[in-house]
Amino acid sequence: MTDERSSMPSDEQRSHSAAPNNGNPDDANPNEEPTNETDRTDSETTDTEGRTDADDEFTIADFHDASQQAGRPVLTAAAVARALEIPHEEASDRLETLADAGSIERLSVSTDPVVWYPSELEDLTDRERVIVFPKRREIVVDRPDQFTRAQLSQFAHLADANGEQGYRYVVRPADVWGTPHDSFDDLAQTMRQALGQRSADLEDWVESQWDRAHQFRLVTHEEGYTVLEAQSPEIMGNVARQKLDEEHVHAPISDTQDWVREGSEAAIKRILYEAGYPVQDHRELASGEALSIDLQVRLRDYQQTWVDRFGEAGEGVFVGPPGSGKTIAAMGAMARVEGETLVLVPSRDLAQQWADAILEYTTLEPEQVGQYHGGRKEVRPVTIATYQIAGMDRHRSLFDDREWGLVVFDECQHVPSDVYRRSTHLQSKHRLGLSASPIREDDRQTEIFTLVGPPIGTDWEALFDAGFVAEPELEIRYVPWGDEEQGNAYGSADGREKYRIAAKNRGKIDEVRYLLSAHPDSKALVFVDYLEQGRDLSDALDVPFVSGETPHHDRRRLLEEFRRDERDLLIISRVGDEGIDLPTADLAIIASGLGGSRRQGTQRAGRTMRPAGGALVYVLATRGTREEDFARKQLQHLGRKGLTVREQTVEGEEH
């Protein structure tokens, strides 16, 4: 939202405000009653919520609300009457009272209406303001404080964050389904605290979604098997029994209960979620063997909030930018559960990092922590395994035979992939996901919350403001062709080949060399999507190239040297997008990237998001090609989270 700032109205403004009536109801004679007003007594009128105006004190805040609705700080009594839905005469009386108190000023021209404006117009621009659009289920907030943002995060999704333009929240069904409240009344109270008002239309819609989220639940029968229960025979017959078949349930038990086939619980939850009916999971799942574990590091306040919300729900996904400490918070959840834990990760490298971190930050001993992947086969009280291994039939029994108190899905945006989804049969008592950006280009991200749990997190802007995570500077640089031959090849190519040629533009080698020389003291990562491009950069810069072809022991050695400041530059392929923690990187150069994947943009930029600050991210795009649009798309998602994105055209003579 833009602010309408002004000091005391100028003569020109006053003349305009006092212009003759041209049919605008705001310019009506203040002594005339608006024709659309119904007859009401002067002493008492009743608004749409049953309150009496006589019982309500009219304050400067009410004037600000009317100003906000009218879109200007100078109002007539008619505008106030319309905004507050009160008679014109009563609006005039209230304005007079505020003027006598010194809160507003009046300006009267003999033949024209009186106009009113705040004594201190800055009051209008400095205060927190909330505007609700019930039909669109959107909430726009200007200058929200931390309390408001914390309340909004419990039932709404932060879609856009821009300090100058305000914050735009969207209330989606999934946000209501995953709210941490025990009753709709509790949720409604949170909404009113966040909005500063009651939005009847929005609350009605939220209540309808709340009801949908409580139509089905999975429970454990006294004889040990699982039962799907519905709130009514109608919802069971019209939804569950239409969507599910013998693959999911054995037979009906009653009009509202079905006997669930063992192992089909995750599929049932996914199918009904997709039908718009999330399932409450109230099964008496095994907690596994007890495991005493304590953290040896203090959680930040927001991390503790994540853990507390997870503890209440027993499931969820920690969502926060890279560097916000999701792994540490997950260890806090492990300490809360105090049960044997299985951690699923996308790569062997990340498995090692998890094992090292658990030993560093918890009281667990080395013999209690194992890894299970292509290089090692250890099943221990805390086991870190790769998704691929956990989803393979020949290994599945090893994990099934042990009752896990907690299963952690790291980088859980992988979960909807068919190969990874097989790991979700591990339906432990507690399930926790971790993700910086739980979005997918195939739009299957809702399955993450179905198979793992609802999102739990703090908006990125709040962490930037608090200084827990530093906001990097992002810049797209449009680079000219390095030679005429490549440019001609691009012009005659088709489809995907065009993108490949633009991505491998040899002019980017000179640009990378220029950027590195411009930041000589930075620790830098150069990301590429094509092995040939990585090898060319490696040869040109005489720098190691880390890719999927790099042996694990060499990859681990190079990354460790980078962490220990023994190296200040590495070239990384897609293996660096996820599962590699590079906490001291302060410069990232994205030389090419997967056609604008939002998740990849988040992960790569996130390699510089650490508390130290001063980080820079450059995205290189070949000028005049489809790469320009891809680069914008890749960073658009980050721009909506509050990061500033600049654009720069590189001229040939610049270097």
Side-chain angles (χ1 to χ4, degrees):
M1 289 180 298
T2 56
D3 291 329
E4 188 170 351
R5 298 178 183 269
S6 174
S7 58
M8 189 169 177
S10 65
D11 291 339
E12 181 182 352
Q13 290 171 317
R14 294 173 182 176
S15 175
H16 176 73
S17 298
N21 181 11
N22 292 314
N24 187 334
D26 284 1
D27 297 328
N29 189 311
N31 296 318
E32 294 179 2
E33 190 73 16
T35 57
N36 62 346
E37 285 288 346
T38 56
D39 292 334
R40 297 174 183 169
T41 64
D42 291 338
S43 60
E44 179 176 326
T45 58
T46 304
D47 68 14
T48 57
E49 298 178 15
R51 296 191 308 260
T52 59
D53 293 328
D55 295 334
D56 294 337
E57 179 184 1
F58 185 68
T59 67
I60 186 62
D62 296 314
F63 185 90
H64 287 320
D65 289 339
S67 297
Q68 183 172 283
Q69 182 171 325
R72 57 182 181 272
V74 179
L75 301 177
T76 62
V80 173
R82 185 172 60 255
L84 301 180
E85 298 182 357
I86 59 177
H88 186 285
E89 183 176 351
E90 184 173 340
S92 297
D93 291 342
R94 292 183 173 193
L95 289 167
E96 291 285 356
T97 301
L98 273 187
D100 292 342
S103 298
I104 62 174
E105 301 290 336
R106 64 170 67 82
L107 180 66
S108 178
V109 180
S110 58
T111 60
D112 292 297
V114 174
V115 294
W116 310 81
Y117 56 89
S119 300
E120 297 292 340
L121 282 179
E122 284 73 15
D123 288 350
L124 186 63
T125 60
D126 291 340
R127 65 193 286 262
E128 173 184 287
R129 290 177 289 175
V130 180
I131 303 177
V132 182
F133 300 93
K135 292 183 179 179
R136 300 204 305 263
R137 298 190 293 277
E138 290 186 3
I139 303 161
V140 177
V141 191
D142 193 17
R143 293 173 176 79
D145 59 29
Q146 288 294 336
F147 174 80
T148 299
R149 283 157 66 170
Q151 297 296 87
L152 284 168
S153 70
Q154 296 186 50
F155 65 90
H157 166 69
L158 179 62
D160 292 287
N162 185 308
E164 296 299 321
Q165 299 298 322
Y167 295 70
R168 184 173 68 90
Y169 290 83
V170 179
V171 186
R172 307 166 302 180
D175 301 313
V176 180
W177 299 346
T179 185
H181 298 82
D182 293 327
S183 69
F184 173 73
D185 288 342
D186 291 342
L187 173 56
Q189 182 178 3
T190 295
M191 291 178 62
R192 293 169 192 175
Q193 289 174 341
L195 305 180
Q197 58 183 294
R198 180 178 182 271
S199 175
D201 291 341
L202 181 60
E203 282 191 19
D204 288 345
W205 181 84
V206 169
E207 185 172 15
S208 72
Q209 294 302 316
W210 173 275
D211 289 341
R212 290 177 78 93
H214 293 80
Q215 293 298 316
F216 292 103
R217 65 176 190 158
L218 290 171
V219 298
T220 301
H221 192 273
E222 60 183 12
E223 296 183 9
Y225 56 84
T226 300
V227 174
L228 175 67
E229 286 187 348
Q231 286 281 27
S232 68
E234 291 75 20
I235 201 72
M236 176 62 86
N238 294 333
V239 179
R241 290 174 182 164
Q242 297 295 322
K243 299 290 184 180
L244 306 176
D245 54 33
E246 62 273 7
E247 179 183 349
H248 308 107
V249 295
H250 288 288
I253 299 174
S254 69
D255 288 344
T256 59
Q257 294 181 315
D258 278 0
W259 177 12
V260 173
R261 285 189 181 275
E262 186 176 359
S264 67
E265 293 88 353
I268 289 173
K269 290 163 70 175
R270 185 182 70 252
I271 291 169
L272 292 181
Y273 189 100
E274 291 171 349
Y277 292 90
V279 179
Q280 300 290 310
D281 196 340
H282 293 178
R283 288 175 292 163
E284 297 174 6
L285 295 170
S287 298
E289 294 294 327
L291 179 66
S292 177
I293 173 174
D294 291 312
L295 273 182
Q296 294 183 316
V297 62
R298 179 182 175 85
L299 294 177
R300 297 168 179 168
D301 289 345
Y302 68 85
Q303 291 171 323
Q304 187 62 59
T305 299
W306 292 356
V307 172
D308 290 343
R309 286 184 59 180
F310 168 77
E312 293 171 1
E315 60 181 17
V317 177
F318 290 168
V319 179
S324 57
K326 295 184 293 296
T327 302
I328 296 295
M331 294 179 202
M334 291 168 59
R336 172 69 67 89
V337 172
E338 288 196 319
E340 295 193 345
T341 300
L342 174 64
V343 181
L344 297 176
V345 297
S347 71
R348 191 186 307 183
D349 293 315
L350 191 54
Q352 183 62 53
Q353 291 174 29
W354 261 92
D356 293 342
I358 288 172
L359 294 176
E360 180 178 358
Y361 296 115
T362 75
T363 55
L364 293 176
E365 299 295 331
E367 61 271 15
Q368 296 176 291
V369 181
Q371 298 181 51
Y372 200 99
H373 47 66
R376 299 167 67 171
K377 298 290 189 296
E378 305 159 343
V379 178
R380 294 178 178 169
V382 173
T383 300
I384 305 128
T386 59
Y387 283 107
Q388 295 92 330
I389 289 287
M392 291 180 181
D393 291 336
R394 66 178 181 272
H395 298 287
R396 186 176 297 179
S397 62
L398 291 171
F399 303 110
D400 285 342
D401 291 344
R402 197 168 194 128
E403 292 182 344
W404 303 102
L406 170 66
V407 177
V408 178
F409 299 87
D410 197 7
E411 304 287 2
C412 68
Q413 62 272 8
H414 289 290
V415 169
S417 300
D418 293 334
V419 66
Y420 294 126
R421 185 193 288 177
R422 283 178 288 177
S423 64
T424 58
H425 71 281
L426 295 160
Q427 292 286 296
S428 69
K429 185 176 182 65
H430 301 94
R431 294 179 303 281
L432 174 64
L434 309 178
S435 183
S437 185
I439 57 173
R440 294 175 54 86
E441 304 311 309
D442 58 10
D443 293 325
R444 291 171 62 183
Q445 57 263 25
T446 55
E447 291 189 31
I448 297 171
F449 308 131
T450 307
L451 300 172
V452 181
I456 299 171
T458 303
D459 69 69
W460 289 31
E461 187 79 2
L463 298 183
F464 295 151
D465 291 347
F468 290 120
V469 180
E471 175 185 342
E473 298 179 30
L474 307 179
E475 181 172 293
I476 304 173
R477 296 179 69 82
Y478 303 112
V479 181
W481 287 106
D483 58 57
E484 188 175 346
E485 179 183 353
Q486 278 191 311
N488 292 335
Y490 178 86
S492 60
D494 294 319
R496 187 70 180 174
E497 182 64 13
K498 276 184 175 290
Y499 177 71
R500 186 187 66 81
I501 295 171
K504 296 164 62 177
N505 172 15
R506 284 188 284 274
K508 293 181 180 180
I509 296 177
D510 291 336
E511 184 63 20
V512 170
R513 188 181 283 117
Y514 166 76
L515 292 172
L516 292 173
S517 66
H519 305 285
D521 298 325
S522 295
K523 291 188 63 177
L525 300 172
V526 180
F527 291 97
V528 298
D529 267 4
Y530 293 93
L531 295 178
E532 181 183 344
Q533 183 187 30
R535 296 187 194 105
D536 290 345
L537 279 166
S538 177
D539 293 341
L541 302 174
D542 192 23
V543 173
F545 174 38
V546 178
S547 72
E549 296 181 346
T550 308
H552 278 282
H553 62 277
D554 288 340
R555 187 190 307 178
R556 192 172 297 118
R557 173 181 56 81
L558 291 169
L559 296 175
E560 191 57 35
E561 289 173 356
F562 191 90
R563 291 190 190 94
R564 293 198 302 258
D565 295 334
E566 296 171 7
R567 289 187 178 275
D568 58 9
L569 176 61
L570 284 175
I571 300 168
I572 307 284
S573 74
R574 296 178 190 176
V575 300
D577 291 346
E578 298 168 343
I580 295 179
D581 185 18
L582 299 169
T584 55
D586 49 19
L587 172 63
I589 302 173
I590 302 174
S592 58
L594 278 179
S597 162
R598 294 168 292 169
R599 176 163 52 85
Q600 187 191 62
T602 299
Q603 295 290 348
R604 289 183 171 181
R607 297 306 165 201
T608 66
M609 289 188 196
R610 297 298 184 266
L616 301 166
V617 178
Y618 293 105
V619 178
L620 307 186
T622 300
R623 200 166 67 210
T625 71
R626 292 177 59 200
E627 254 201 333
E628 292 188 349
D629 293 333
F630 288 149
R632 293 189 188 99
K633 177 185 176 185
Q634 195 171 55
L635 296 186
Q636 185 181 53
H637 177 65
L638 292 173
R640 287 197 295 267
K641 289 181 176 294
L643 278 69
T644 301
V645 181
R646 300 190 304 266
E647 298 182 56
Q648 178 69 43
T649 298
V650 177
E651 302 298 338
E653 62 273 13
E654 179 181 345
H655 304 160

